[in-house]
Amino acid sequence: MRNARAGMAALTAALMLAMLAPPHTPAFADEPNPTLAERQAAQNRVTVAKRAVASLQARAEHAVEVYNGQLSKARKAAKASQAAENRATAARAVHRKAAGFADQARVQADTATALALAAANGRDQARAEANHSQYTLDTMAAGAFRGEGQLGMFSQLLLADDPIELANGHNLINRVGNYQRRIIVRLHTARDQAVRTSARASRAQDTAALAAGRASRALAAAELTRTSAEHANHAAAVAAQTTHRALDSAHRAKAHATAMVARAEKVLHRAARTAASLELAAAAARRAAANVPTTTAPNDAARTAIRWAFEEIGVPYSWGGGDESGPTRGFAQGANTVGFDCSGLTLFIYAKAGISLDHYTGSQWHQGKRISSRQDLLPGDLMFFAYDKTNASTIHHVGIYLGKGRMIEAPYTGEVVRVAPASRDDFIGATRPWA
């Protein structure tokens, strides 16, 4: 009985609670449909978000292109520095050789001058000897004319009546004649010697003058090579400083680009595609490219570039990737991906056409004939895109025009080289590399 009363009390309490409770509502009520204004506001928010993401991606790509440009400058500066150092080394070697020639020329000039002085002394001595012999002969002749001296005495002896004196006179005349002959011979010998030593002295002086001239020219050449070596050393030092600054700028640009790429990835909330998904994207890109209508390129260079661009369809995008030989590893999230970035792709395909381009959109923008209007584009032209179409320094992307409103591009991380519409609204202009 007690249990029955307890059960009745519980039932009564439950009924009372049911009577006091609010009306029942379904657990999952249908949400009201959004109004047209709400849908438009949501669409606007999506559009703004997409634009913000695209802008950030463009700025990250521009940062990478700036790094590519600084790296290109650093490589050129390094080559210029090495060439300047080579020129300085060669100039120093030439200076050492010229200084050696100058030293030899100075020694030769000194030797020639000493020989010229010795020859001049010999000439002066020979002339003095000849003059002395001539003076002696002249004195004897004058004495004979006046009846003085030995010849005057000879004439008196020859007129003597005493046979002994006459004989003595003949003997004396013979001795005097012999003496005079010796004087005359010595005079002729002295004159001949004077002529020969004068000729030797003249030749020695000419030789000394030539040697002095060679020495002077060698010294002047040595001075020029010394100056050239100094200038070459200075140029090498300046080139080395330029290389250091360029490498420093490249490192800073790379750090900025890496930060921008990381920021873009964080905002996009998109990881790099897996190898399987990239292969699927590559297959889709190749299928799409197979259906692209063909157009006639204007020349062999453009045809070659376009053909190689189609060959690279499906190659993954890689920050900083690509060179003249093909796809390479890049940096940042491209460090583990063998592929191309946008300017690496155009660099490669035109290298195949024999046209050298820098791995930098900023340089490629200045290489070739400038095309300003889409209506003037020809297949093979390079199309450039900037986030500020009034400022070429903001160029961040490049593709190769195919014609009929299509282009081939290496777009961004997670994508592959593909055919894409060429109708982007950030088009700033184009160039014609072969023109």
Side-chain angles (χ1 to χ4, degrees):
M1 179 64 91
R2 192 165 44 248
N3 290 336
R5 284 197 299 269
M8 183 62 67
L11 179 61
T12 301
L15 289 173
M16 291 180 66
L17 288 172
M19 292 171 59
L20 294 174
H24 173 73
T25 56
F28 300 98
D30 293 334
E31 293 289 338
N33 292 328
T35 65
L36 178 61
E38 289 173 336
R39 289 198 300 272
Q40 186 62 49
Q43 183 61 45
N44 290 342
R45 288 194 297 273
V46 170
T47 300
V48 169
K50 285 182 177 179
R51 287 176 178 172
V53 167
S55 175
L56 187 57
Q57 183 77 2
R59 290 179 182 275
E61 190 174 26
H62 176 257
V64 173
E65 284 302 312
V66 170
Y67 165 64
N68 286 341
Q70 293 295 338
L71 187 60
S72 176
K73 289 179 182 178
R75 287 169 177 164
K76 289 179 180 179
K79 289 181 180 179
S81 177
Q82 185 59 55
E85 180 57 34
N86 292 342
R87 287 193 297 272
T89 301
R92 289 192 292 268
V94 170
H95 171 60
R96 287 193 297 270
K97 190 173 182 179
F101 286 153
D103 290 340
Q104 293 176 4
R106 280 197 297 268
V107 171
Q108 292 171 356
D110 292 342
T111 302
T113 301
L115 291 174
L117 289 174
N121 290 335
R123 178 199 61 200
D124 293 341
Q125 291 175 2
R127 285 177 179 175
E129 181 67 24
N131 289 338
H132 178 69
S133 297
Q134 184 67 51
Y135 174 77
T136 302
L137 189 60
D138 290 345
T139 302
M140 291 176 63
F145 177 76
R146 293 193 300 269
E148 299 173 350
Q150 291 177 331
L151 291 179
M153 182 181 64
F154 296 158
S155 62
Q156 293 175 5
L157 289 173
L158 290 174
L159 295 175
D161 294 330
D162 187 347
I164 295 176
E165 290 183 1
L166 183 61
N168 289 335
H170 280 291
N171 290 331
L172 184 57
I173 287 172
N174 288 333
R175 290 198 301 272
V176 170
N178 290 335
Y179 174 68
Q180 288 179 329
R181 281 194 297 272
R182 288 196 299 273
I183 290 175
I184 291 172
V185 169
R186 193 162 60 241
L187 173 61
H188 286 299
T189 302
R191 284 177 176 174
D192 291 342
Q193 182 69 20
V195 170
R196 288 194 297 273
T197 55
S198 179
R200 283 200 300 272
S202 179
R203 289 194 298 272
Q205 287 172 345
D206 291 342
T207 302
L210 290 173
R214 286 196 298 270
S216 178
R217 290 190 295 273
L219 287 171
E223 180 62 21
L224 285 176
T225 57
R226 183 188 65 80
T227 303
S228 176
E230 289 178 351
H231 290 167
N233 288 336
H234 177 70
V238 171
Q241 292 176 355
T242 301
T243 301
H244 177 74
R245 289 195 295 268
L247 287 172
D248 185 59
S249 297
H251 290 320
R252 290 198 302 271
K254 182 177 181 179
H256 176 66
T258 302
M260 288 294 294
V261 170
R263 182 181 172 192
E265 288 300 304
K266 183 177 180 180
V267 171
L268 292 172
H269 295 293
R270 182 184 63 217
R273 291 193 181 194
T274 64
S277 62
L278 277 176
E279 184 55 38
L280 291 175
R286 286 191 284 267
R287 286 194 301 271
N291 296 323
V292 173
T294 58
T295 55
T296 302
N299 55 45
D300 288 341
R303 280 191 291 273
T304 300
I306 290 173
R307 178 170 61 83
W308 278 98
F310 272 102
E311 290 289 331
E312 304 310 309
I313 294 292
V315 173
Y317 182 92
S318 176
W319 292 110
D323 60 19
E324 294 86 349
S325 301
T328 66
R329 293 185 186 276
F331 73 95
Q333 71 262 54
N336 296 317
T337 302
V338 176
F340 293 104
D341 63 10
C342 62
S343 58
L345 174 64
T346 53
L347 157 70
F348 168 68
I349 62 176
Y350 266 107
K352 288 296 184 181
I355 296 174
S356 178
L357 300 176
D358 286 338
H359 192 169
Y360 174 39
T361 51
S363 293
Q364 294 182 8
W365 173 249
H366 295 287
Q367 293 176 282
K369 180 181 178 181
R370 185 69 52 78
I371 309 298
S372 300
S373 172
R374 290 180 190 268
Q375 286 71 31
D376 297 328
L377 289 173
L378 293 176
D381 287 345
L382 297 183
M383 300 183 69
F384 294 86
F385 305 91
Y387 59 80
D388 180 355
K389 292 186 289 184
T390 65
N391 184 358
S393 68
T394 67
I395 290 173
H396 61 85
H397 190 59
V398 61
I400 183 170
Y401 186 61
L402 299 178
K404 299 183 179 180
R406 311 291 286 178
M407 69 177 179
I408 292 180
E409 64 171 356
Y412 47 78
T413 297
E415 266 297 346
V416 297
V417 176
R418 65 186 184 182
V419 175
S423 56
R424 294 171 49 158
D425 58 6
D426 55 348
F427 174 73
I428 189 174
T431 62
R432 193 159 291 158
W434 66 86

